[in-house]
Amino acid sequence: MVKRFATRLFFFLLGYNHKNFIKPKSTIMKKIIFSCLTLLICLSAFSQYVAINAFGGYTFRDRINFGNAYAYINGGGIWGASIEGVNVSGTGLELLYQYQSTNIPVYNYPGNVQQNAGNDGATISYLLLNFEQYYMNNPKIEPYGGLGLGAAFYKGNFPGSVSETKFAWDIKAGVKFNISGGLGLKIGAQLLSSTQVTGTGFYVGYPGYVYPYNTYAYILQFSFTGGLVYSFGGK
């Protein structure tokens, strides 16, 4: 029930009916970006400071189970950037972009034979709006936690591949170390998930065409991240 409510709320903020999920991807993307930027600007106006983050990390392999097959999203490096506004009580709002280049091999049952050999390259990117809370008892060390909603974008790196946009959410926690002059270091752990809320299928590559697995699937990606942060505007 909570997941259903969050999904409907997210679609409502984007300005369209969640039951009518089929819309041009460019329109969806524009509304996602517009909604995220609007909320971020509103919070920044009341923030104690604004911070820009650049980070990298590693995402571990995840297994995806379908009704007639299974797949792996292989582990690998990730990179990303974000901008956040944080108020005097440590409450913040962050607009985050994250990118991963990976391979997604798919295997059938019961033979366990890879169905997309040579056509399993893919990129996964996330655009998320995170609600954060920093614990600011120590000016040099600030633990934080957060959760967010947004979208995941999947694209195959092979001829004839298609792109898919899915609802996504994340949970994260970590520590921010303030060094000097607004410069800091931020390390953390993150759990990302995207869901097949419409049951329209997960696309994999076959030689010459794309095949959909028409089933519900849940993707969970666990990552460790670290990077530099620069804060300005009254901290």
Side-chain angles (χ1 to χ4, degrees), residues 69-142:
Y70 64 95
Y72 292 102
I73 298 181
N74 288 344
I78 59 174
W79 62 265
S82 72
I83 182 170
E84 61 183 335
V86 182
N87 65 19
V88 67
S89 64
T91 301
L93 192 64
E94 176 189 46
L95 180 63
L96 178 145
Y97 175 79
Q98 185 169 306
Y99 177 91
Q100 178 189 10
S101 179
T102 186
N103 294 88
I104 308 179
V106 179
Y107 302 88
N108 68 346
Y109 290 120
N112 298 317
V113 176
Q114 185 175 351
Q115 301 297 294
N116 59 339
N119 291 281
D120 59 2
T123 59
I124 303 173
S125 55
Y126 292 91
L127 183 65
L128 297 163
L129 189 68
N130 287 310
F131 300 87
E132 301 177 308
Q133 181 62 52
Y134 285 88
Y135 300 92
M136 307 173 71
N137 296 326
N138 187 324
K140 293 294 184 181
I141 303 176
E142 299 178 2

Side-chain angles (χ1 to χ4, degrees), residues 200-213:
T200 55
F202 185 93
Y203 289 84
V204 298
Y206 273 74
Y209 64 96
V210 176
Y211 184 86
Y213 285 95

